[in-house]
Amino acid sequence: MIDFITTVMPWVWVGVLVVSIVMEALTLGLITIWAAIASVPLIFLARTGMPLKWQILIFVFLTTALAIFTRPFVVKFLKTGKQSKGNINSLDGQTVLCVSPISEFKFGEVKTKNGVVWTAQSEDGSEIPADTICTVSRVEGNTLVVKQNKTQGDSEK
């Protein structure tokens, strides 16, 4: 029986390696990858006839040590778990020019300072004529919600 276990254990560690890699590929949580890495030296240690309890102890120690000491660096390097805000959030509060009229039931278009034209809607449902200066209140998907600047609206009256 011991000869059978000694013969099979390298394949058990190969199985642990494969299962850990598949689980990591499915979750991308940087958890099971450490078990996969720890199982590699155990494939070779199992061939030496090392007792099973020592193999398991080494596996647990290596997995824990790798997770504790290397995971923070890898997470920082890969920047997982953090979603960058991106450039679209920089549009909040920006002044834009309305190039196509906006009404309560019709989207219009506004142009940002860098010349990009965006679909826009009025924040309060009011009509905004073309060539009006507006301010971006928020971004909803790929639509800018804008409000007409008070100074221009007062000067037109």
Side-chain angles (χ1 to χ4, degrees), residues 16-137:
V16 170
L17 173 70
V18 170
V19 169
S20 297
I21 290 173
V22 169
M23 287 177 56
E24 187 64 38
L26 294 175
T27 62
L28 296 176
L30 288 177
I31 300 297
T32 57
I33 192 68
W34 312 120
I37 293 169
S39 65
V40 171
L42 288 174
I43 294 169
F44 301 103
L45 286 176
R47 294 184 58 122
T48 65
M50 181 181 284
L52 180 61
K53 66 180 178 183
W54 286 107
Q55 291 179 37
I56 293 172
L57 184 66
I58 292 170
F59 174 75
V60 170
F61 174 76
L62 282 175
T63 303
T64 305
L66 285 168
I68 290 172
F69 295 113
T70 60
R71 187 177 188 276
F73 298 109
V74 174
V75 168
K76 190 175 188 179
F77 178 73
L78 295 177
K79 295 181 178 126
T80 61
K82 294 182 182 177
Q83 192 173 12
S84 64
K85 291 190 174 185
N87 292 337
I88 194 164
N89 292 334
S90 66
L91 294 171
D92 289 346
Q94 192 178 103
T95 303
V96 294
L97 174 67
C98 182
V99 293
S100 173
I102 303 170
S103 65
E104 184 176 1
F105 300 108
K106 182 177 176 258
F107 289 103
E109 293 179 337
V110 295
K111 186 186 287 188
T112 60
K113 291 178 181 178
N114 60 356
V116 178
V117 177
W118 290 83
T119 303
Q121 70 181 29
S122 175
E123 181 178 45
D124 56 2
S126 63
E127 292 189 17
I128 301 175
D131 297 326
T132 304
I133 305 294
C134 302
T135 303
V136 178
S137 302

